[in-house]
Amino acid sequence: MTTNIVIKERIVFLLGFGAGFCVTLLIYLMKYSIIPDCDNVKSTITNEENNFDYNKLVGLSRESVKFAVWLKETTENLEENVSYEKWLERQNTKIGEIHVDKDDINSDKKIESKWLRNKVHVTCVIFVEKLKLAQTIVDTWGKHCNKLLFFGKDLQDSKVPVIKFDVKLTSSWQLLCESMNYVFNETKNVENDLEWIIFVRDDTMVIPENLRYLVAPLNFKQDYYLGHAVSLWGQDYNVAEAGYVLSKSAFGKIVKKFDNSQKCASSGKFWKKEDFYLGKHLRTMGIHPSDTRDTLKRGTFHGYSLQILFWGIAKPGQYWTRALYPPGVDCCSTRSVTFNAVDSSKMYTLNYLLYYLNSILKPAIHESKSITSDDKVWQKVLKDEFGIENVTEITNDQYYQLWRRKYSEPETFMQSKIYNPFSSSLNNIQQDELFFDERKNV
């Protein structure tokens, strides 16, 4: 009897071990079915490395970062080169580097990010589940939004103004719908106060400057629905984990269709599916997710942390497998807009790296300048201005008197001689001459 039990336990162990091994192997194989063969990429780089011109690296300069949504705009509207640079030209503005030695940083020149903030209005809407994360957003990236609004179900805090609604919420879609109506009603009478609206959860890190760069060439009076798009159950939508952006036109249309609490409550039933419902309702208006990848097929909106995006072993989730616009070899654009920050400490860390840490990486012209100590400066002046070679016995007070009598007294402009600081009489010209003759002959 005991022998049978032992045999059964060993069989169960072997079956479990075999199942675990098969699952691990399956995940490993899925990795290589989703992500391109790294060996081929490596060999290509190795073969070209010796002859590669690093000045031609794509993605290192502002001009090289372009997006698929810009190219689509160019095709549909028959415009040429819809890009950030072309948009700057229409603003009669030119962006240039600041010369570290020659340019005055206190001049009328404006930092690009601050100038762009006044030109492209971004409203940030955050759905709060943890007050600590909401406070972190206030302290970090939230400062870079033109307008910052927090919405929650049952939260209240004296430091973070979380907006709640007096209606009974039955789904996360209803919370989103009520929030959109609130934003619309608060801004409808304010000119130029609503152009682009980004919706994110409280564990998301947003870079508003990069969002402005992405949407600046686009017309917010047209319909845009931006984010990381997936296709599920025959429906295309931008996932909430990565955040999604609506232009003023698209935002106005969805609010007009669901303009009261009754319509909001009846148009979506489940929690955590507000992103699906939004995509579904926008689709009925002919508004579909845009391709927000850059021209190297790198993603811009990310629903995962950097650790997973860069070093994840396998990515079998629907976020990747059902992506409407799959990322290429590299996951993340250099103009990425969102990441998942997981917790407050990581959000503070990312904020420091983005906005405060400086690295000497950009090319600049550094000019060498000779530096003379204070003692040698006035000694050199005595030699050049007064012809005095031996200056070791000249005190600071005597030096001051020399300059004062040469340039401060009106009489000096009418005389060709310089007063002797040791003279008790200001009119003793002969003593002045004797003083300087002695200095020259020492």
Side-chain angles (χ1 to χ4, degrees), residues 17-18 32 47 106 110 112 153 160 166 171 238 255 257-258 270 287 350 380 391 401 417:
F17 178 82
Y32 290 100
N47 292 336
N106 297 318
K110 293 183 178 180
E112 182 180 3
K153 183 182 177 184
V160 182
D166 296 330
S171 68
N238 290 315
V255 170
K257 184 172 182 178
F258 304 98
F270 301 103
I287 303 174
L350 287 172
K380 186 175 186 300
V391 296
Q401 291 297 331
K417 301 294 183 180

Side-chain angles (χ1 to χ4, degrees), residues 80-296:
E80 293 184 1
N81 299 326
V82 174
S83 65
Y84 183 72
E85 289 71 36
K86 286 293 180 181
W87 177 77
L88 287 176
E89 290 181 8
R90 293 197 297 272
Q91 306 299 316
N92 195 26
T93 302
K94 182 179 180 181
I95 302 296
E97 298 289 340
I98 296 178
H99 195 296
V100 294
D101 292 317
K102 295 182 179 180
D103 290 341
D104 181 9
I105 60 174
N106 297 318
S107 66
D108 58 353
K109 295 182 179 180
K110 293 183 178 180
I111 302 300
E112 182 180 3
S113 60
K114 294 182 179 179
W115 175 84
L116 198 57
R117 179 173 180 168
N118 295 328
K119 285 291 182 179
V120 182
H121 195 286
V122 171
T123 299
C124 301
V125 176
I126 297 93
F127 297 104
V128 183
E129 292 187 0
K130 297 179 180 179
L131 289 172
K132 184 178 180 180
L133 284 170
Q135 181 61 54
T136 303
I137 291 174
V138 172
D139 295 339
T140 56
W141 63 264
K143 300 176 182 179
H144 304 274
C145 300
N146 294 89
K147 195 174 188 67
L148 182 64
L149 296 169
F150 295 93
F151 294 93
K153 183 182 177 184
D154 300 315
L155 298 174
Q156 188 173 0
D157 186 72
S158 58
K159 296 182 180 180
V160 182
V162 181
I163 301 168
K164 299 187 299 181
F165 301 103
D166 296 330
V167 298
K168 182 180 179 180
L169 298 175
T170 59
S171 68
S172 56
W173 158 254
Q174 186 182 359
L175 174 60
L176 171 61
C177 188
E178 296 283 0
S179 302
M180 290 192 294
N181 277 283
Y182 180 93
V183 174
F184 180 81
N185 293 327
E186 285 290 310
T187 57
K188 63 182 179 180
N189 296 323
V190 182
E191 186 178 359
N192 297 329
D193 198 38
L194 192 67
E195 296 179 358
W196 299 92
I197 311 95
I198 182 169
F199 301 86
V200 296
R201 295 176 180 174
D202 57 6
D203 59 352
T204 303
M205 182 82 187
V206 180
I207 309 174
E209 292 81 2
N210 284 355
L211 176 57
R212 293 188 181 100
Y213 177 88
L214 170 62
V215 301
L218 307 177
N219 186 355
F220 61 83
K221 296 180 181 179
Q222 297 178 359
D223 298 330
Y224 287 101
Y225 175 35
L226 311 175
H228 175 84
V230 299
S231 182
L232 183 64
W233 301 329
Q235 174 60 52
D236 300 337
Y237 66 96
N238 290 315
V239 296
E241 292 83 358
Y244 40 86
V245 177
L246 292 175
S247 63
K248 182 177 183 178
S249 176
F251 181 76
K253 289 180 179 179
I254 194 72
V255 170
K256 185 177 180 179
K257 184 172 182 178
F258 304 98
D259 57 358
N260 59 57
S261 297
Q262 184 178 358
K263 292 180 180 179
C264 288
S266 61
S267 52
K269 298 181 180 180
F270 301 103
W271 287 95
K272 301 296 184 182
K273 291 297 180 184
E274 73 279 5
D275 47 4
F276 178 85
Y277 287 119
L278 177 62
K280 177 182 177 181
H281 296 315
L282 287 173
R283 181 183 181 182
T284 62
M285 307 174 196
I287 303 174
H288 303 276
S290 298
D291 186 354
T292 57
R293 296 174 301 175
D294 63 19
T295 51
L296 295 181

Side-chain angles (χ1 to χ4, degrees), residues 397-414:
D397 183 65
Q398 293 170 349
Y399 174 68
Y400 166 75
Q401 291 297 331
L402 284 172
W403 274 99
R404 181 178 180 275
R405 292 180 178 179
K406 181 176 182 180
Y407 294 109
S408 298
E409 300 293 338
E411 292 83 1
T412 58
F413 291 99
M414 302 175 61

Side-chain angles (χ1 to χ4, degrees), residues 231-424:
S231 182
L232 183 64
W233 301 329
Q235 174 60 52
D236 300 337
Y237 66 96
N238 290 315
V239 296
E241 292 83 358
Y244 40 86
V245 177
L246 292 175
S247 63
K248 182 177 183 178
S249 176
F251 181 76
K253 289 180 179 179
I254 194 72
V255 170
K256 185 177 180 179
K257 184 172 182 178
F258 304 98
D259 57 358
N260 59 57
S261 297
Q262 184 178 358
K263 292 180 180 179
C264 288
S266 61
S267 52
K269 298 181 180 180
F270 301 103
W271 287 95
K272 301 296 184 182
K273 291 297 180 184
E274 73 279 5
D275 47 4
F276 178 85
Y277 287 119
L278 177 62
K280 177 182 177 181
H281 296 315
L282 287 173
R283 181 183 181 182
T284 62
M285 307 174 196
I287 303 174
H288 303 276
S290 298
D291 186 354
T292 57
R293 296 174 301 175
D294 63 19
T295 51
L296 295 181
K297 294 185 177 181
R298 299 174 299 186
T300 309
F301 293 80
H302 309 284
Y304 285 84
S305 66
L306 289 174
Q307 289 87 338
I308 293 179
L309 291 168
F310 289 154
W311 301 290
I313 297 176
K315 303 174 181 179
Q318 66 183 28
Y319 180 89
W320 283 279
T321 59
R322 295 186 178 272
L324 192 61
Y325 308 109
V329 177
D330 296 327
C331 69
C332 310
S333 172
T334 53
R335 290 286 183 176
S336 290
V337 175
T338 63
F339 298 100
N340 185 276
V342 183
D343 55 37
S344 293
S345 61
K346 288 184 173 61
M347 195 174 294
Y348 279 115
T349 301
L350 287 172
N351 186 74
Y352 169 75
L353 295 174
L354 286 169
Y355 294 103
Y356 295 98
L357 181 64
N358 294 318
S359 299
I360 307 300
L361 296 176
K362 292 185 177 181
I365 301 174
H366 298 270
E367 297 178 347
S368 299
K369 296 181 179 180
S370 59
I371 300 176
T372 307
S373 64
D374 292 340
D375 291 339
K376 292 185 178 180
V377 168
W378 67 267
Q379 292 175 5
K380 186 175 186 300
V381 170
L382 284 176
K383 179 179 179 181
D384 296 341
E385 294 289 332
F386 303 101
I388 301 176
E389 296 292 340
N390 191 345
V391 296
T392 56
E393 297 180 3
I394 302 295
T395 65
N396 291 339
D397 183 65
Q398 293 170 349
Y399 174 68
Y400 166 75
Q401 291 297 331
L402 284 172
W403 274 99
R404 181 178 180 275
R405 292 180 178 179
K406 181 176 182 180
Y407 294 109
S408 298
E409 300 293 338
E411 292 83 1
T412 58
F413 291 99
M414 302 175 61
Q415 299 174 355
S416 59
K417 301 294 183 180
I418 302 175
Y419 292 110
N420 181 1
F422 304 109
S423 174
S424 59

